Amino acid sequence: MNKTKRKPNGEGRKLVQRRRNTCPSPQDITRALQSPSSAPSPSAASLDELIQRCLNCFDLEGKLSSPRGTQLVHMTLMMHSWVVPSQMFAQKLLALYKDCPSDKRGPKRTQICHLIRQWISQFPAVFEADPLLEQTMGDLWALVRSDREETHSQLIDTSCLGPHVNIFQAPSPSVKKRKVSLIFDHMEPHEMAEHLSYLEFKNFCNVSFMDYRSYVVRGSVRDNPALERSVMMCNGVSQWVQLMILSRHTAQQRAQVFTKFIHVAQKLRILQNFNTLMAVTGGLCHSSISRLKDTSNLLSPDITKALSEMTELLSSRSNYINYRRVYNVCSGFKVPILGVHLKDLISLNEALPDYINEDKINLSKLEHLYSNISDLVTLHSCTPPFEANKDLLHLLTLSLDLYYTEDEIYELSYNKEPKNTKIQPVAPVKAPVVAEWGSGVTPRLDPDTISKHVKQMVDSIMKNYDQSQDGYVALEDFEKIAANFPFSFCTHETDREGQISREEITSYFMRGMSICAKLGFNFNAHNFHETTYKRPTFCETCGGFVSFHSVGSHQTGLPL
C-alpha cells in the first residue's frame, strides 16, 4: 500500500491548524452559544425596523427611555456593520430624514439627529476609517443644514463634543524617584509580573470592537496592528522565558531562572493576567526547555507541582474548561486569554446566519456577539492594582521585541545539554497553546521604532547607573544588564578600561537588534544604490556594517 508523502515544511500541519482556527467544531459552536451570561431571546427585524426601534428609544430631549432601550441603541450602533455596511446604515438615516412625513417631521427628525449624535460621539473611529461613510454623512449634514433647523444643526455639530477621549487606555506609568535595578537577577518576581501586566493591559486596551470584527470576518490578524502587537508580545514573552533560561551556563543556574519564572507565573495568576500567564507557562513547557533533563532534575517538588497546576489551569481540554471556570468568577482587573474569546466570536459568527427569511437581520446573533465583545471592552476601564516604572518598562519592551527562529532556540538548547540516550526522560508536561490564533505572526518593527526603544533603554541605564554623571557606567554593571538580552553573538568594545560610554552602549544594542532584524524583523526602509566607501561605514537604516565588495555596495541590506 502506498504511503502518502509528508508535505515539506509542515505545510499540511499549518493547513489543518488554520482550518481549526477559523472553522470551529459543532461542539465549539454549542459551547459558544451557551457562553454569554444572559442569552437574549431569538428575534429578527429588517434594517428599517431596527432603525425605527432605535429611534423610538429617544424622547424629544434626546434621552433614552429605558436601560433596555439604551442597550438596543448601543448594540445597533456597534454591531450593525456585522451584517450591513455602515454606509448603507447612514443612507437609511438620510432617506428617513429626507422623506419624513410632514405631520411627524419635527419629532421624527429630532430623533434621527439624536441617533446620529450618539453614533458619532460613541464610535468616532468608524467615521475616520470609512471614506464612503464620511461622504454619505456629509450629504446628510448638508440636508440638515439646508432646512435651517437650528436645533437639528446643533445636534449633529460634533465640534461641541470636544476631542474624542479614548477610555480604552491603560494609565500612564509612574515616575518613581528611587533608582531601580535593570538587572534580571535583581528584579523581584512581583516587579516582573506587574510590569509585564502593564504592557499586556496596554496592548489589550488598544484592541477595539472594530479589531474584533475585522478578525472574525477575515479570520486573521494580518493588517490588524492592535491584534498583531498582542500576538507579538505573547510570542515575545514565551521566547524571552526560553532564552533567559538557555542563556545560563550551568544546569543549576538554569534551574534558578526556571524557578524564578514559576514565581512570576504565580504572581500573574494573583493579578488575574491570564494572557501573560499563558505565555510564561508556554515558554516553561516548550520542548526546548522540557528536554533539559539536568535542569529538570534540580527543580524542587514544589516548583514541579506549581508548573503542573498552571498547565492544568490553561489546558485546552474541553474548550479551556478550567480557565473559563476560574475566569468567570474573577472580578475587577483581569486580562483574558484573548485567543480563547476570539475563538468564541468566530464560533458564534459561523454558527448563526446573518439573516432570517432573507430580509430579516438576525438580532439574536448581533446580541450574542455584542454581549461577548462588550464583556471584553468593559475590562478596558478597570484600574490595574499596581504602578509601573518607566525604566523597567523600557527594559522589558526592548527585551520582548527580540525574535529568534525555532531552529536557533533548539540549537542553543542542544548546546547547553547535548542529547544523551542514557538519561531517563522526565515526565513530559503538555504545554498550553500559545497564540495559536495568531500563528505565523512575526515582528515587523521599523528601524525608527527600534531606535526609539534603544534610546529609551540607554537613557534608563544612564539614569540608574551613571553615578558620576560623566556619560559612563561600570562595565560590570552593563554586562549584567546585557544578560537580559540574549545577544550571545554580539561583542562590545570600550575606550575606557572598566567603563563603557553611552555611545558604546547604544552601538551595542543597535548591533544586537540589527542582527535580530536579520533573523526576523521586516525592514523595508533600505534604499539600495552603489557607492564606493573609502572608510568603514555603517548603514544609516539598520546600523549594520556595510560590506566591502569591489564597489563597496550594501548589497544584502542586512548587517554582517
Side-chain angles (χ1 to χ4, degrees), residues 78-93:
M78 177 190 287
M79 305 301 299
H80 70 269
S81 60
W82 223 278
V83 291
V84 296
S86 292
Q87 181 196 15
M88 182 183 297
F89 189 83
Q91 287 174 341
K92 289 288 185 181
L93 294 177

Side-chain angles (χ1 to χ4, degrees), residues 121-150:
S121 61
Q122 293 182 5
F123 305 102
V126 174
F127 299 86
E128 298 170 1
D130 189 343
L132 295 176
L133 171 61
E134 188 177 5
Q135 180 180 350
T136 302
M137 292 303 296
D139 296 338
L140 178 56
W141 290 326
L143 177 61
V144 172
R145 292 188 176 105
S146 67
D147 285 348
R148 298 180 181 178
E149 285 285 351
E150 188 62 28

Side-chain angles (χ1 to χ4, degrees), residues 52 54-63 96-97 100-115 149 151-152 155:
Q52 193 58 54
C54 291
L55 294 178
N56 292 339
C57 293
F58 290 93
D59 60 23
L60 295 181
E61 295 180 357
K63 296 180 180 178
L96 278 174
Y97 191 92
C100 191
S102 57
D103 58 328
K104 299 179 181 179
R105 181 166 296 175
K108 187 60 66 178
R109 286 186 168 182
T110 300
Q111 289 175 324
I112 294 172
C113 290
H114 281 306
L115 182 60
E149 285 285 351
T151 303
H152 296 170
L155 284 175

Side-chain angles (χ1 to χ4, degrees), residues 260-399:
K260 185 166 189 172
F261 275 119
I262 285 290
H263 293 153
V264 172
Q266 291 172 327
K267 296 298 182 181
L268 291 169
R269 171 64 185 87
I270 294 172
L271 292 173
Q272 301 181 156
N273 177 1
F274 296 98
N275 209 53
T276 308
L277 176 61
M278 171 78 85
V280 171
T281 306
L284 293 173
C285 295
H286 193 274
S287 53
S288 66
I289 302 300
S290 61
R291 65 162 298 277
L292 302 176
K293 307 303 183 293
D294 294 342
T295 301
S296 300
N297 291 334
L298 295 174
L299 298 176
S300 69
D302 289 343
I303 295 301
T304 304
K305 179 182 177 182
L307 178 62
S308 178
E309 291 172 350
M310 295 297 176
T311 54
E312 181 65 18
L313 168 64
L314 303 172
S315 170
S316 59
R317 178 175 55 85
S318 299
N319 197 28
Y320 297 91
I321 186 173
N322 292 332
Y323 157 71
R324 292 180 187 277
R325 184 184 299 117
V326 171
Y327 177 81
N328 288 335
V329 299
C330 290
S331 59
F333 175 84
K334 57 183 178 179
V335 183
I337 302 176
L338 199 52
V340 172
H341 299 271
L342 284 172
K343 184 180 178 182
D344 290 346
L345 294 177
I346 287 181
S347 299
L348 286 169
N349 192 54
E350 295 288 333
L352 300 175
D354 292 341
Y355 287 89
I356 297 176
N357 297 331
E358 295 185 358
D359 62 338
K360 298 287 186 179
I361 296 174
N362 188 352
L363 297 186
S364 179
K365 174 176 182 173
L366 293 190
E367 289 171 345
H368 277 94
L369 289 168
Y370 173 74
S371 175
N372 281 262
I373 293 177
S374 293
D375 288 345
L376 295 173
V377 172
T378 300
L379 295 176
H380 295 175
S381 59
C382 293
T383 302
F386 51 79
E387 293 182 337
N389 183 283
K390 284 186 177 180
D391 294 328
L392 286 179
L393 290 177
H394 295 332
L395 170 70
L396 289 173
T397 298
L398 196 61
S399 300

